[in-house]
Amino acid sequence: MDPNTFLDDALVQGERLWGLAAGWLLSPAAWSQFALLIIAYFAAVYTSRKLRPLLDRLLTPPAAQDSYVARMRRFVALFLPLLLPLLAYVFTGVGESVTRSIFGSGAVIAFGKRLFLFLAVRILVKEIISDPIMKVLGRYILVPVAALYAFGLLEAVMDYLDATVVPLGNLSFSVLFAIRFVLVAGAIFWLGRWSNDQSSQFIKKQEDMRPAMRELIAKTLEIGIFGIAFLLVMNIMGISLTSLAVLTGVIGVGLGFGLQKIASNFISGVILLLEGQATVGDYVELDGGEAGTIIKMTARATILETYDGRWIVVPNEDFITTRVVNYSDSGSANRYEAPFSVSYDTDINKVPDIIEAAVAKHPGVLTTPFPPDCELRRFGESGVEFAVEFWVEGIDDGKNKFTSDVLFLIWNALKAEGITIPYPHRVVELKTPLPEQPA
C-alpha cells in the first residue's frame, strides 16, 4: 500500500471520527450512554473496593507455605490490579446491551468499553508483567495495538501492515506477519521457559535420584519443551517444516566443519550426566591444573568455582579425554596428613598414643575407613620426625581447615605432656682462634 494512500485513509478516518464525536455531543442517546459509562465506572470502583480486600485474603497464603496450591494462589493474586478495569469493562458491556435495546445504537458506550480494555492492557504491561522480554513486547506492541483497537483504527492499520511487504532475498513477508510471529513466538517461548523452570525445580527436589541423573532429566526436558515450542510456532504461523530443509542442510554442513567442537562438547556433557562420575558439588582437578567445585553443568561446558571465588569454564570434552581427579565423589572420604617432630630426648614410644587420642577429638576426623594413625617417619637432623594420617569428609580448603586444626591439637597435646618441638641447631667450629682484644 502506498504511504500517500494510507495517509488519505487516515485523514478520512479522522474526519469520520470528528463527525462522530460532534454527533455524540448533540445526541440525547449519546449523552445517556455517557451517563451509563460514568455509572459503570463508579459501580466498578465501589465493587472493586469491596472485593479487593476479600480476594487479597483468599489469594495470599502464609509466607511459610510453598506448595503448588500456594504458588498458584500467589500467581493469581498478581492479576488483582486488573480487577477495576475488568469490572468496568463488564458493567459497560451490560450498559451497552441496554442502550442497544432502547436506542438501537451503542457506539459511545462501546468506545468506553474498548477504552477500559486498553487500561487493563496498560496495567498488565506496567504492573504485572515482570519478564524483560515480555515487558518490551507488551510496551511496544501490545499497548499500541490496544490503543488502536480502542479508537477503532486497528483494522485500517492492520490492512496497511499486511499490504507492506518486506523482501528478503527469495523470500518475502508482510510487516503484519513479522509482528504476529514475534508476538506468538515470544508468548510461546515465555510459556516454555516458565514450564522448564517449574519442571527443573520439581526434578531438583527429588533427592532420591542421583545428582547427575537429575541434571540429565532436566536437560532432556529443556530440549523437549523448547523443541515443542519451536514446532508450535512454526505450525501456528503456517510455516511448513519442509521449507526449513535448506536451513537444516546448512546447519549440518556447519556441524561438519566449524561446529565440531560444539557437537563434541554437547555429546561429552550427555556422557558425563549419564555416567555420573562428576556432578554438581564435586571438587575436581584436571590434568591442565584447573581445580574447583562444580557449580553448573551446561550443554557445552562445566563451570568450576575456585576457593578464591573465580569461575573456570571447562569444555565438557576435557572431562572425557583427560585425566580428572575427583576429590568429593558421593560416599567417599579423603586422607590427609600433618607432619611434626619432637626432640631426641623424648620417649618416642609414647608419642603415637598421645597424638592419635588428641586428633580423634576433632569432630571432622573420621574413624572409618581408618582412625587417626601416627607414624614415625625418620630421624631428622634436629629431631625425630612423625606424621599423623587422618580421614575426613570433604576437601581441606575453603571453609574446611582440617590440617590447621589437627596441628593445633598436636601442639597442645605435646605441650600438655611436656614434650618439646625442636628447632634447627647449628654448631660452628672455629679452627683459627679469635685474636685477643686489648684490655
Side-chain angles (χ1 to χ4, degrees):
M1 181 182 291
D2 185 47
N4 294 326
T5 305
F6 176 76
L7 183 60
D8 293 339
D9 291 343
L11 291 174
V12 171
Q13 289 289 341
E15 292 177 358
R16 184 182 66 82
L17 290 175
W18 175 254
L20 185 62
W24 287 354
L25 292 175
L26 301 175
S27 171
W31 280 104
S32 64
Q33 293 179 51
F34 277 122
L36 284 175
L37 271 178
I38 296 173
I39 292 172
Y41 174 75
F42 282 106
V45 171
Y46 176 80
T47 308
S48 175
R49 288 179 179 177
K50 293 295 183 181
L51 286 178
R52 183 68 181 266
L54 176 61
L55 294 176
D56 275 329
R57 288 194 300 270
L58 291 175
L59 297 175
T60 306
Q65 289 187 7
D66 194 34
S67 62
Y68 289 105
V69 175
R71 275 184 275 178
M72 183 60 67
R73 288 167 63 186
R74 292 191 184 97
F75 178 75
V76 175
L78 293 175
F79 295 89
L80 285 179
L82 296 176
L83 184 62
L84 175 59
L86 291 181
L87 284 173
Y89 179 84
V90 171
F91 293 159
T92 306
V94 175
E96 181 184 8
S97 63
V98 172
T99 55
R100 289 191 184 277
S101 63
I102 296 176
F103 299 104
S105 65
V108 176
I109 202 166
F111 169 74
K113 189 171 71 170
R114 296 195 301 269
L115 188 62
F116 288 135
L117 185 62
F118 166 74
L119 293 176
V121 170
R122 188 171 179 275
I123 292 173
L124 175 69
V125 173
K126 187 176 181 181
E127 300 182 18
I128 298 175
I129 295 178
S130 59
D131 184 81
I133 297 178
M134 296 301 294
K135 207 172 188 67
V136 170
L137 291 177
R139 183 180 300 168
Y140 295 106
I141 296 181
L142 190 58
V143 171
V145 166
L148 291 172
Y149 174 73
F151 288 97
L153 299 174
L154 181 60
E155 186 175 353
V157 173
M158 288 181 65
D159 290 341
Y160 173 74
L161 294 177
D162 193 29
T164 304
V165 177
V166 178
L168 187 64
N170 295 328
L171 301 175
S172 61
F173 54 89
S174 67
V175 176
L176 181 62
F177 176 84
I179 294 174
R180 283 177 175 170
F181 182 83
V182 171
L183 281 176
V184 171
I188 290 179
F189 279 99
W190 176 83
L191 183 61
R193 190 174 69 174
W194 180 81
S195 302
N196 179 63
D197 292 340
Q198 299 301 314
S199 59
S200 297
Q201 291 177 9
F202 175 77
I203 291 169
K204 289 178 180 178
K205 290 180 181 178
Q206 309 305 311
E207 298 181 356
D208 295 337
M209 300 171 60
R210 290 191 301 114
M213 186 58 64
R214 292 200 298 263
E215 290 290 332
L216 179 60
I217 294 175
K219 292 297 180 185
T220 304
L221 279 176
E222 182 178 0
I223 295 173
I225 287 172
F226 285 105
I228 293 172
F230 174 77
L231 294 177
L232 279 175
V233 171
M234 296 296 105
N235 188 33
I236 291 174
M237 299 309 298
I239 301 175
S240 175
L241 295 179
T242 56
S243 63
L244 300 177
V246 177
L247 179 61
T248 305
V250 172
I251 294 176
V253 174
L255 285 173
F257 290 97
L259 304 178
Q260 294 183 43
K261 284 291 183 182
I262 295 177
S264 174
N265 285 318
F266 177 78
I267 296 172
S268 299
V270 174
I271 294 173
L272 281 174
L273 293 173
L274 284 173
E275 292 183 346
Q277 299 300 321
T279 186
V280 175
D282 287 356
Y283 186 90
V284 297
E285 181 179 352
L286 280 72
D287 253 356
E290 302 90 349
T293 303
I294 299 176
I295 61 171
K296 189 175 183 181
M297 300 181 74
T298 66
R300 186 190 68 85
T302 299
I303 299 176
L304 309 181
E305 184 178 22
T306 63
Y307 283 116
D308 55 3
R310 299 177 182 177
W311 282 16
I312 304 175
V313 180
V314 181
N316 290 329
E317 185 182 12
D318 291 357
F319 281 84
I320 303 297
T321 59
T322 62
R323 184 178 66 92
V324 179
V325 181
N326 192 336
Y327 289 93
S328 53
D329 193 12
S330 178
S332 67
N334 297 306
R335 191 192 72 174
Y336 294 95
E337 66 175 42
F340 66 96
S341 60
V342 298
S343 62
Y344 276 102
D345 57 358
T346 304
D347 184 359
I348 61 174
N349 296 295
K350 298 180 180 179
V351 172
D353 292 336
I354 295 172
I355 299 303
E356 289 171 3
V359 175
K361 296 178 181 178
H362 191 284
V365 174
L366 306 175
T367 57
T368 54
F370 299 102
D373 181 25
C374 183
E375 299 177 352
L376 174 64
R377 290 298 168 87
R378 70 190 184 105
F379 300 103
E381 295 180 358
S382 302
V384 183
E385 297 181 4
F386 288 85
V388 59
E389 298 175 348
F390 58 95
W391 289 77
V392 292
E393 196 78 57
I395 306 300
D396 187 20
D397 202 347
K399 63 180 181 180
N400 300 320
K401 303 291 187 293
F402 295 124
T403 303
S404 175
D405 295 342
V406 167
L407 288 174
F408 271 109
L409 292 172
I410 293 172
W411 174 274
N412 293 329
L414 294 178
K415 286 294 183 181
E417 296 293 332
I419 300 174
T420 59
I421 297 177
Y423 52 88
H425 290 77
R426 295 292 182 266
V427 177
V428 180
E429 294 184 2
L430 298 176
K431 295 185 177 181
T432 303
L434 294 174
E436 296 183 0
Q437 298 293 330

